[in-house]
Amino acid sequence: MLEIKNLHVKAGDKEILRGVDLKVGAGEVHVILGPNGSGKSTLMNVILGHPKYQITSGEIFFNGEDLTALKTFERARRGIFLSFQNPEEIPGITVENMLRTAKQAVTGEKIKILAFHKELLALMNELQINPEYANRYMNVGFSGGEKKRNEILQLLTLQPKLALLDETDSGLDVDAVEIVSSGVAKFHNENNSCIIITHNAQILKHLPVSSVHIFLDGKIILHGGAELVGKVSEHGYAHFEGKS
């Protein structure tokens, strides 16, 4: 589904990614671990085409198509979704209107208002989101936890092919992480894929982790299985330096 080949990226004059290689197949859950500033979030943003970053060499393919020349909205319409570490507030458009408009843009089909409203309220109930928030402006006045659950609401509504989750669990209490984890598990199936950046193994509780990648200094230095999560918790990232 996703193939990244020898990806080098800079922001301004600073090189951030220094030769990233990654393959993600349909139905797989990949976890990226690494210290702050190692380039993890940059990788997620580059996959979706953030204009701040410049690809100096390397390629990104999604379902066999080269994404390099595509704008962010074109990549989103092809089925790539990014859940932000720090979700933005968007005054002037309600949660329900934004999600209905986004779903119409992705599917290319007219969405029936009443049917969509019913489906949205059912999802909000599962994620323990106050139904009144459907009529509030996107993330405006939301707590940190409410913003993160709203990200999962977007994920379940839009049903992308590839979900990029950038520390969606950060800053959440134990109960909120459980809700978010269950929401991601509800989304995941054999036809879609997830790449998750996390510092908290609890979000992986309900997910079948396919591969774990250790990220240091702008590149993946080690690939492995779910056991790497425990090793990082026990030894820290310094333990893996020089093991690429």
Side-chain angles (χ1 to χ4, degrees), residues 152 155 165 179-188 194 196 203 207:
I152 303 305
L155 173 68
L165 308 182
I179 292 169
V180 167
S181 176
S182 297
V184 177
K186 178 180 175 64
F187 158 76
H188 179 252
C194 298
I196 301 173
I203 194 175
L207 294 167

Side-chain angles (χ1 to χ4, degrees), residues 180-202:
V180 167
S181 176
S182 297
V184 177
K186 178 180 175 64
F187 158 76
H188 179 252
N189 60 48
E190 63 182 10
N191 297 314
N192 59 40
S193 303
C194 298
I195 303 177
I196 301 173
I197 294 174
T198 184
H199 294 292
N200 185 346
Q202 187 181 351

Side-chain angles (χ1 to χ4, degrees), residues 2-8 19-23 55 57-61:
L2 178 73
E3 184 174 9
I4 298 173
K5 299 180 179 180
N6 193 31
L7 186 65
H8 290 253
V20 175
D21 293 287
L22 182 66
K23 288 184 179 182
I55 296 176
S57 64
E59 300 168 302
I60 303 175
F61 291 92

Side-chain angles (χ1 to χ4, degrees), residues 2-210:
L2 178 73
E3 184 174 9
I4 298 173
K5 299 180 179 180
N6 193 31
L7 186 65
H8 290 253
V9 171
K10 68 178 183 179
D13 295 328
K14 182 180 180 181
E15 186 179 33
I16 302 176
L17 301 184
R18 300 178 170 89
V20 175
D21 293 287
L22 182 66
K23 288 184 179 182
V24 179
E28 296 181 350
V29 175
H30 289 242
V31 178
I32 296 178
L33 304 176
N36 293 333
S38 59
K40 307 184 303 297
S41 294
T42 295
L43 176 62
M44 297 291 221
N45 280 287
V46 170
I47 292 171
L48 200 54
H50 195 302
K52 172 183 176 181
Y53 302 101
Q54 178 185 352
I55 296 176
T56 55
S57 64
E59 300 168 302
I60 303 175
F61 291 92
F62 182 63
N63 286 329
E65 180 182 12
D66 187 349
L67 297 182
T68 306
L70 297 184
K71 296 183 182 299
T72 297
F73 77 89
E74 294 173 317
R75 302 182 194 205
R77 286 181 177 177
R78 281 161 172 74
I80 302 177
F81 173 92
L82 174 60
S83 172
F84 295 99
Q85 184 176 349
N86 298 299
E88 294 286 339
E89 297 184 0
I90 308 176
I93 182 169
T94 66
V95 170
E96 182 166 357
N97 283 341
M98 180 169 179
L99 288 180
R100 187 174 65 248
T101 302
K103 188 167 185 177
Q104 286 184 159
V106 169
T107 63
E109 300 175 356
K110 184 71 174 178
I111 303 295
K112 294 182 179 179
I113 294 176
L114 291 180
F116 180 82
H117 180 71
K118 183 177 180 180
E119 293 173 4
L120 183 65
L121 292 185
L123 289 175
M124 294 179 79
N125 181 61
E126 288 186 29
L127 295 170
Q128 298 182 31
I129 299 173
N130 188 329
E132 295 178 359
Y133 278 43
N135 295 316
R136 290 181 59 174
Y137 293 150
M138 178 66 75
N139 289 327
V140 176
F142 289 22
S143 69
E146 288 167 345
K147 289 180 179 180
K148 295 301 182 71
R149 276 182 280 178
N150 194 38
E151 293 283 281
I152 303 305
L153 176 64
Q154 295 171 53
L155 173 68
L156 292 174
T157 300
L158 298 177
Q159 289 294 314
K161 298 173 184 175
L162 174 64
L164 310 173
L165 308 182
D166 187 0
E167 295 192 35
T168 306
D169 54 339
S170 65
L172 301 181
D173 60 31
V174 174
D175 292 337
V177 173
E178 174 67 23
I179 292 169
V180 167
S181 176
S182 297
V184 177
K186 178 180 175 64
F187 158 76
H188 179 252
N189 60 48
E190 63 182 10
N191 297 314
N192 59 40
S193 303
C194 298
I195 303 177
I196 301 173
I197 294 174
T198 184
H199 294 292
N200 185 346
Q202 187 181 351
I203 194 175
L204 308 174
K205 178 179 177 181
H206 303 293
L207 294 167
V209 175
S210 308

